Amino acid sequence: MPEATSTMAPLRATLPTKVYSLTDLGKKALVSPDCTAMCIGRVKVDKVVRFTEPNGAGGQFVSEVSFIASAVDVPDWVRGPEVQKCYNLRVKMADHAQGRCSLVLANDGWIDSSDIAR
């Protein structure tokens, strides 16, 4: 049985695209000029609900913490319904949202375990 071969040329097409540029407000929200991550506010802990007694694990003191928190310093453009829906921020930006984290005791105080390598 002979091998199948193809003589089709690669398809070349021009596709319409949209190009977006940041406004001055967008540029101010960039975490740094060389990345696309944006700061859209901070999280403020309203209340610590409970925590485990700090214990030693792997040479570190660790505590599990449950808390209630709210987003603060959120720009108006982030609070818009289109942005909230597009980036699924309704729950993340809700006032008095419940949260949990693991804290590790570092030389400069208690920090989130996800920040220990930074």
Side-chain angles (χ1 to χ4, degrees):
M1 182 174 221
E3 287 186 31
T5 59
S6 173
T7 58
M8 293 177 57
L11 178 62
R12 297 186 190 272
T14 302
L15 300 174
T17 58
K18 292 184 180 182
V19 177
Y20 295 92
S21 298
L22 288 176
T23 63
D24 288 339
L25 284 174
K27 290 176 186 174
K28 287 180 186 177
L30 288 174
V31 172
S32 70
D34 59 341
C35 75
T36 58
M38 294 183 143
C39 178
I40 58 170
R42 299 180 300 114
V43 175
K44 179 187 82 126
V45 174
D46 300 321
K47 176 182 177 182
V48 173
V49 177
R50 72 176 56 88
F51 62 92
T52 60
E53 192 67 33
N55 59 45
Q60 299 176 326
F61 282 98
V62 179
S63 180
E64 298 293 323
V65 181
S66 296
F67 57 89
I68 305 294
S70 298
V72 296
D73 299 331
V74 178
D76 289 338
W77 62 268
V78 174
R79 294 199 183 272
E82 300 86 10
V83 172
Q84 295 274 316
K85 183 178 178 183
C86 180
Y87 295 101
N88 196 24
L89 295 175
R90 288 173 221 230
V91 174
K92 296 174 188 171
M93 303 296 285
D95 285 336
H96 312 297
Q98 295 182 358
R100 292 179 55 183
C101 69
S102 297
L103 297 179
V104 176
L105 183 58
N107 64 323
D108 56 345
W110 289 95
I111 61 172
D112 191 302
S113 62
S114 64
D115 290 338
I116 196 73
R118 293 182 197 175

